Amino acid sequence: MASPDELDAAQHKLMVDMTFPCVVNPILRELEDKNHSTTPTLIRESFEEVEAFYPGFTEFFVRGLLTKARIDDRIDMPEAILKLEGSGEQKDVLLRRHESVFRNLQHRADSLKLILGRIPDEISDRKKFLDTIKDIAHAIKHLLDAVNEVFTQIGVAEDRHRLDKKKKDFVKYSKRFSTTLKDFFKDNRLEIINITQWYGCP
């Protein structure tokens, strides 16, 4: 079972890695689409630049806003990010290839994220949560099958090596998620799932 320190470390990494792409970036992208001004683009690029030099800046910024608004004690950040990530496509993580095997891979990855996004709402209902776990298992299998299909379309050895490493990492984190589920059903600790399940995401 994960220790409290491991859970804290996992939560911190989640916040650092996901606050910009899941919270701030989609808002600025939407403003870019609706506003002909260059201001949203400049703000987004400034966030990207600062985040590159100071990882975690966006998470610190968002938490500061929540604290200033006095709602920081009412918002579970890992849960909120999980729901946001599962709410729709993130433009910055869409595949650029348009062949059918790549479109299928994108579809399988998006499907898994959507299923994972159901966890916060269903984790307290044992029957629903068990059904969701089955759906996750099927989605993981379909995603791995899609990755294997992509291998047939990659001719550059270096690209194949990178994809193989990503696949191995995904399998490792999926196994960690499985172990986390066993701990959850043994101890009924909701925060374990909300944090560590993310590391089953591609």
Side-chain angles (χ1 to χ4, degrees), residues 1-168:
M1 182 178 69
S3 69
D5 288 343
E6 288 173 329
L7 288 173
D8 288 342
Q11 181 170 358
H12 177 69
K13 178 170 174 53
L14 168 65
M15 295 296 98
V16 168
D17 289 349
M18 303 307 297
T19 302
F20 176 73
C22 288
V23 180
V24 174
N25 194 47
I27 296 172
L28 295 175
R29 288 287 191 187
E30 185 174 348
L31 288 174
E32 284 179 311
D33 292 340
K34 294 181 178 179
N35 194 328
H36 297 297
S37 168
T38 59
T39 301
T41 302
L42 293 174
I43 294 174
R44 178 177 57 78
E45 291 175 348
S46 296
F47 264 99
E48 289 175 342
E49 186 174 347
V50 174
E51 189 69 32
F53 280 99
Y54 304 101
F57 165 78
T58 309
E59 186 255 346
F60 179 78
F61 178 82
V62 170
R63 285 194 182 277
L65 289 178
L66 296 176
T67 300
K68 190 73 174 177
R70 298 181 180 178
I71 58 173
D72 53 305
D73 60 337
R74 286 183 276 162
I75 295 179
D76 185 319
M77 282 286 286
E79 179 179 317
I81 287 180
L82 178 59
K83 288 184 176 181
L84 287 170
E85 177 65 8
S87 65
E89 293 181 343
Q90 302 295 332
K91 291 184 179 181
D92 289 347
V93 295
L94 295 178
L95 294 175
R96 301 292 189 266
R97 299 282 292 269
H98 301 291
E99 297 93 322
S100 61
V101 292
F102 290 94
R103 291 201 306 270
N104 183 50
L105 177 61
Q106 183 74 63
H107 170 69
R108 295 303 184 184
D110 291 341
S111 296
L112 177 57
K113 290 177 183 178
L114 286 171
I115 297 170
L116 291 171
R118 288 160 32 193
I119 289 178
D121 293 328
E122 298 181 355
I123 195 170
S124 58
D125 185 319
R126 186 179 180 87
K127 184 180 184 303
K128 284 186 178 180
F129 189 41
L130 287 172
D131 289 339
T132 297
I133 291 172
K134 293 176 184 177
D135 291 341
I136 291 171
H138 288 136
I140 288 174
K141 180 184 182 302
H142 291 319
L143 181 56
L144 289 173
D145 289 342
V147 170
N148 290 333
E149 290 178 3
V150 167
F151 269 113
T152 65
Q153 301 295 315
I154 298 179
V156 180
E158 184 178 349
D159 291 342
R160 289 177 63 86
H161 176 72
R162 282 201 296 264
L163 180 59
D164 186 57
K165 184 179 184 307
K166 291 292 186 181
K167 177 184 175 182
K168 289 178 180 177

